[in-house]
Amino acid sequence: MNARLSDQEFFRWLDELSDEDELPVELLAEDVADLAFAKRLLNLRVAPGEQLQLTLKKLPSMARDMDKTSLWQAGRIHCQRFFTRLAFTPRKRVLGLVLLLLALIIFLASSPSARAQLGELIDNPDRFWVLYRVVSLQSDLENPRFIISRLEPVHQYQIMRPEEAQATFPTLRIPQWAPEGLVLNENTTVMLPLAEDDPFTWKIELSWRDEANQKVIILVVEDVKSKTVWRAWNAERYSLHLYFKYPGAKIEEVMIGETPTALLRMPLRLFPIIRGWDPGMEVISLQWMDDQGYVNRLFAWADLVSIEELVHMAASMARDQGE
Amino acid sequence: MELNAVRSRKTLSNSSEIDGDEFARLYQSQLNRVFNYVRYRLGEADAEDIVAEVFTRVWSRRHEFDARRGTPEIWLWAIARNAVTDQLRKQDQLRKKNVPISEIDEASLQASDPLDFVSETEELDRIRSAMNRLASLDREIIALRFGGGQSHRAIGELLGLQEANVAQRLRRALRKLRLLVEGNAL
């Protein structure tokens, strides 16, 4: 009569049996069934998706580039400024802040959803910060929720000098004027599709900053011609689209040359991807679709750059440039 | 590569930080294993997100790695297990609120005709449903062994069990799981 396999023998059989091997008939039926089942379990393993593999492989190089990105730097500077201000704030204001914190604690105590979000943040502090940083690398303001909830960047990234970006994308128009003291940053982020069948074409992020890195203006230019959804939106309807994109923003239309342009004023909290910074801080933005089918988005901090300056800057992207 | 077999340069040297090369090595050797371990524990839907989170945690916390306390692999697996535990806790909270987690339900456990064709994902769902009837430690051992491809010694190291104890529990759990899947559970 066949004896039941010991644990050691059973797992030795399992390790040595290849998929092609016949199951050993000399063993007890129960052991054979267990072996077959264990083999099934092993054969259910699959490889992760290509996009995940690609993303994780690039993680170290992505992280190296993160600190160069303008949004991240801008956020860091504003955080520093906030704490510096706090250190020199009169006692009454500090008391106010303490009361505010108390109010926040009461709010959290009474709101289950806020508590849940805070709990998630406490449970996964690195997730919050890492996502925050990945997002700031991308400076992708179009699908923020998607990026927050998933780590997969939708593009591949290259850091180039502005001249290189201009040479690579001859139709790119770069503003010829910037507010006094602001210099075009030598790191330009170029986002390209990850896969050949990706409908995304390209997106370029340029930034201007002063010596102290406090005044920051960001220009994002994106070729949206290949996006099916965009075919429905012509330049005139662009402002309307923004009402959906940034609900709560103050939007008005201004003409820059002959191009209808949306002027947006909105608190930072309307950008879910940049949470963690002073949420009340106001951002101004000019957004328009140009005659080449590119969407241009200029962003600046409202307390550091005036609307007039931003308009002047947009107007300096001459039509004869980049053609 | 077994966890305990890995005594990398990092373990032998005083340097603890995981650099880009080390990360690439970990990625190469462990990505598939971690991915399948997570699939076995959480199912297909959450697997990629959680694996992304695990490797991102490894990279973002690379300065915290202490070679005196074990290999990078052991550290990575501890992070992976924590991420899975966190996610299971969240799923449990949602379940308590009666929010459907996925399409997996008892019906999938009560398999129809065994000759019916089922995809790998469906089969894994069915097996995972059955695994829910096992003890939590047994579920973890099965996922580490059959999903994560870990040796009994490595599993023991991760769970604080003797190697022989792991083999014994695994064998018992395997049979119970088979019977559950076959619908012959007592």
Side-chain angles (χ1 to χ4, degrees), chain A residues 5 7 11 15 30-31 33-34 40-41 44-46 48-49 53 56 63 124 126-127 130 151, chain B residues 23 27 32 36 39-40 48 53 56-57 59-61 90 120 123 145-147 152 168 171 175 178:
Chain A
L5 289 175
D7 296 334
F11 288 109
D15 291 339
E30 284 283 274
D31 284 341
D34 286 347
R40 254 172 80 195
L41 292 183
L44 285 175
R45 290 187 288 195
V46 294
Q53 295 188 39
L56 295 180
N124 305 294
D126 60 311
R127 179 176 176 165
V130 167
L151 268 172
Chain B
F23 181 84
Y27 161 86
N32 279 13
N36 282 292
R39 278 177 74 232
Y40 266 80
E48 292 213 342
E53 193 174 315
T56 310
R57 273 191 203 180
W59 181 251
S60 64
R61 291 185 183 176
K90 279 177 207 161
E120 282 176 347
E123 189 172 5
R145 175 68 167 86
F146 295 106
H152 299 163
Q168 192 184 31
R171 177 92 182 274
R175 175 158 298 176
R178 174 173 68 77

Side-chain angles (χ1 to χ4, degrees), chain A residues 20 24 31 34 58 77 123 129 132 136 233 245 254 256:
Chain A
E20 291 76 34
D31 284 341
D34 286 347
K58 287 183 175 176
I77 288 156
D123 286 345
W129 288 109
Y132 174 27
S136 63
W233 296 99
K245 188 171 171 183
V254 295
I256 297 183

Side-chain angles (χ1 to χ4, degrees), chain B:
Chain B
M1 195 183 300
E2 288 184 18
L3 300 184
N4 51 4
V6 179
R7 288 287 177 256
S8 68
R9 283 174 291 115
K10 295 290 167 192
T11 317
L12 301 173
S13 71
N14 289 329
S15 165
S16 279
E17 182 168 327
I18 290 179
D19 57 19
D21 292 342
E22 188 67 27
F23 181 84
R25 192 186 64 74
L26 273 177
Y27 161 86
Q28 286 287 350
S29 65
Q30 303 298 319
L31 175 64
N32 279 13
R33 290 165 178 262
V34 173
F35 177 68
N36 282 292
Y37 160 72
V38 176
R39 278 177 74 232
Y40 266 80
R41 293 300 270 128
L42 300 171
E44 206 77 55
D46 287 331
E48 292 213 342
D49 282 352
I50 299 299
V51 171
E53 193 174 315
V54 167
F55 279 87
T56 310
R57 273 191 203 180
V58 167
W59 181 251
S60 64
R61 291 185 183 176
R62 61 193 183 280
H63 312 288
E64 295 171 20
F65 169 68
D66 185 350
R68 289 166 301 185
R69 293 169 66 184
T71 62
E73 279 78 2
I74 289 176
W75 188 61
L76 178 143
W77 276 91
I79 289 175
R81 293 188 60 233
N82 281 339
V84 165
T85 308
D86 289 347
Q87 187 64 15
L88 285 170
R89 200 179 300 135
K90 279 177 207 161
Q91 287 184 356
D92 197 40
Q93 282 166 358
L94 288 172
R95 206 172 282 123
K96 281 176 188 161
K97 290 178 190 168
N98 294 322
V99 179
I101 304 294
S102 70
E103 299 302 315
I104 304 165
D105 56 20
E106 285 297 303
S108 63
L109 175 59
Q110 287 147 21
S112 49
D113 187 342
L115 294 175
D116 279 355
F117 171 79
V118 284
S119 70
E120 282 176 347
T121 305
E122 287 168 328
E123 189 172 5
L124 183 63
D125 283 349
R126 189 182 298 169
I127 286 167
R128 285 190 53 255
S129 293
M131 278 171 74
N132 286 335
R133 294 191 181 179
L134 300 179
S136 147
L137 184 60
D138 291 343
R139 289 199 291 268
E140 184 69 4
I141 292 175
I142 284 180
L144 284 167
R145 175 68 167 86
F146 295 106
Q150 297 297 339
S151 69
H152 299 163
R153 186 181 296 177
I155 295 171
E157 215 169 315
L158 283 167
L159 303 180
L161 298 171
Q162 295 291 328
E163 190 179 343
N165 194 3
V166 171
Q168 192 184 31
R169 279 201 83 122
L170 182 62
R171 177 92 182 274
R172 222 168 33 213
L174 186 71
R175 175 158 298 176
K176 193 170 176 189
L177 182 61
R178 174 173 68 77
L179 294 174
L180 282 165
V181 171
E182 289 172 359
N184 293 331
L186 295 172

Side-chain angles (χ1 to χ4, degrees), chain A residues 241-278:
Chain A
H241 156 73
L242 294 173
Y243 283 103
F244 298 103
K245 188 171 171 183
Y246 304 109
K250 289 175 196 160
I251 304 177
E252 56 187 290
E253 198 161 270
V254 295
M255 294 297 287
I256 297 183
E258 293 172 0
T259 310
T261 302
L263 166 63
L264 293 92
R265 271 173 288 198
M266 52 199 158
L268 201 57
R269 65 172 171 273
L270 291 185
F271 296 83
I273 59 164
I274 322 177
R275 63 186 164 172
W277 300 354
D278 177 355

Side-chain angles (χ1 to χ4, degrees), chain A residues 125-144:
Chain A
D126 60 311
R127 179 176 176 165
F128 175 80
W129 288 109
V130 167
L131 285 171
Y132 174 27
R133 299 188 70 187
V134 168
V135 165
S136 63
L137 162 76
Q138 295 182 136
S139 301
D140 189 338
L141 300 166
E142 185 161 349
N143 292 309

